[in-house]
Amino acid sequence: MSNLFYHRDLTKAQWNKIKFIFEKQKKKGRPTLNPLNVFKAILWILKSGARWRDLPTHFGNWNSVYHTFRRWSKQGIFEKILQIVNKSGENTRLIEIDSTFCKVHQSACSNLKNQAIGVSRGGKTTKIHALVNEHFQLLNITLTAGNVNDSECAIELLQAVQIEGKKVLADRAYSSSKIRDYIEKNGAKVCIPDKINFKIPHKIDSELYKQRNIIERFFQRIKNYRHIAFRFDKLSVCFLNFVLLAAAVIHF
């Protein structure tokens, strides 16, 4: 597990993995902030769940750091970091799909539309839908309002990865004929238990299904970061990029 769960700072080896992404580019106007210092500030926000305004002064002006975070999000910096970390050379044989709820803090609630916030039994929530392999590596992700059914995003998530020759694990929330047909037509093995109302039962490898705990443990790891356990971001793009960052740093 990543040292970032236990230490407040990056090690030199960890920074060396990703620092080339932040190479300075010639830019007119104000001088750019030190990328290492900004990255440490973003990690502090991720771990603490604090407001940007509460960022310690040694990280610099909180507003400048925030706008740098927004710019990096638009540039896909955190997605690139995840891709670098995922290049471990390990073959993927399992693909697991599931979702988890995140309680939306009152500071994240606004009149903005299409920000993946909905009302469910838990109040205002956002749902993280994820694909993970057996190495706890995030393969694909999307956010929805908390009241959206898990199965609605399944095929969209699976379409972004190569599933041929692999085994797809999910709980019975994904047990629909449409999802099963998609998986089988793309050359993957289905390991999903039937819903109670299925008339024709499907065989399931019970030993293989036990490995579905991997995605639950993945969610537990990223929720060790308070900024993921609770949603404090008004904009879904900001929350999504914090999730991508959390998924990356657990492999640093």
Side-chain angles (χ1 to χ4, degrees), residues 198-210:
F198 259 59
K199 295 181 180 180
I200 303 176
H202 297 88
K203 291 183 179 180
I204 182 173
D205 186 334
S206 57
E207 287 300 313
L208 176 62
Y209 187 70
K210 289 179 181 179

Side-chain angles (χ1 to χ4, degrees), residues 169-189:
L169 281 64
D171 62 26
R172 57 172 44 92
Y174 299 88
S175 183
S176 72
S177 299
K178 186 176 180 180
I179 294 173
R180 287 178 179 276
D181 289 345
Y182 176 84
I183 295 171
E184 291 175 347
K185 286 179 180 178
N186 283 274
K189 178 180 178 179

Side-chain angles (χ1 to χ4, degrees), residues 68-78 237-238 241-242:
T68 301
F69 168 75
R70 288 287 307 276
R71 186 174 71 252
W72 286 357
S73 297
K74 291 179 180 179
Q75 293 172 346
I77 293 294
F78 303 105
V237 64
C238 291
N241 278 275
F242 270 118

Side-chain angles (χ1 to χ4, degrees), residues 76-121:
I77 293 294
F78 303 105
E79 188 173 355
K80 291 176 183 177
I81 293 173
L82 182 63
Q83 291 172 354
I84 291 169
V85 171
N86 281 354
K87 288 181 180 179
S88 60
E90 297 171 314
N91 293 323
T92 298
R93 63 183 184 86
L94 298 180
I95 295 178
E96 306 194 11
I97 183 171
D98 205 350
S99 70
T100 186
F101 286 99
C102 293
K103 182 78 173 179
V104 177
H105 191 266
Q106 61 183 12
S107 62
C109 299
S110 69
N111 294 324
L112 296 174
K113 296 182 179 180
N114 303 320
Q115 297 303 319
I117 297 176
V119 179
S120 59
R121 284 184 292 179

Side-chain angles (χ1 to χ4, degrees), residues 81-236:
I81 293 173
L82 182 63
Q83 291 172 354
I84 291 169
V85 171
N86 281 354
K87 288 181 180 179
S88 60
E90 297 171 314
N91 293 323
T92 298
R93 63 183 184 86
L94 298 180
I95 295 178
E96 306 194 11
I97 183 171
D98 205 350
S99 70
T100 186
F101 286 99
C102 293
K103 182 78 173 179
V104 177
H105 191 266
Q106 61 183 12
S107 62
C109 299
S110 69
N111 294 324
L112 296 174
K113 296 182 179 180
N114 303 320
Q115 297 303 319
I117 297 176
V119 179
S120 59
R121 284 184 292 179
K124 290 188 176 181
T125 54
T126 290
K127 189 179 285 188
I128 302 173
H129 304 261
L131 285 185
V132 174
N133 66 14
E134 66 269 35
H135 309 299
F136 298 91
Q137 294 174 330
L138 180 64
L139 304 178
N140 198 12
I141 185 175
T142 191
L143 302 179
T144 68
N147 55 322
V148 173
N149 190 282
D150 290 353
S151 61
E152 291 185 26
C153 304
I155 293 178
E156 179 184 350
L157 284 171
L158 291 167
Q159 286 175 338
V161 299
Q162 176 59 254
I163 66 173
E164 185 177 1
K166 297 177 176 60
K167 300 169 184 178
V168 180
L169 281 64
D171 62 26
R172 57 172 44 92
Y174 299 88
S175 183
S176 72
S177 299
K178 186 176 180 180
I179 294 173
R180 287 178 179 276
D181 289 345
Y182 176 84
I183 295 171
E184 291 175 347
K185 286 179 180 178
N186 283 274
K189 178 180 178 179
V190 179
C191 187
I192 303 174
D194 289 326
K195 292 181 180 178
I196 298 175
N197 59 354
F198 259 59
K199 295 181 180 180
I200 303 176
H202 297 88
K203 291 183 179 180
I204 182 173
D205 186 334
S206 57
E207 287 300 313
L208 176 62
Y209 187 70
K210 289 179 181 179
Q211 297 188 55
R212 206 191 67 81
N213 71 84
I214 291 172
I215 194 165
E216 299 291 349
R217 289 156 62 194
F218 166 80
F219 285 137
Q220 185 273 331
R221 290 184 181 187
I222 64 173
K223 282 187 170 183
N224 271 312
Y225 295 106
R226 191 166 181 266
H227 207 90
I228 307 302
F230 296 90
R231 174 173 169 175
F232 298 97
D233 299 291
K234 289 183 179 181
L235 301 178
S236 59

Side-chain angles (χ1 to χ4, degrees), residues 38-68:
V38 173
F39 191 70
K40 288 180 180 180
I42 294 170
L43 287 177
W44 187 88
I45 294 290
L46 173 66
K47 290 184 284 184
S48 68
R51 301 180 304 170
W52 287 100
R53 291 177 182 272
D54 296 329
L55 189 70
T57 55
H58 67 266
F59 287 119
N61 181 275
W62 71 267
N63 195 46
S64 298
V65 174
Y66 169 71
H67 282 290
T68 301

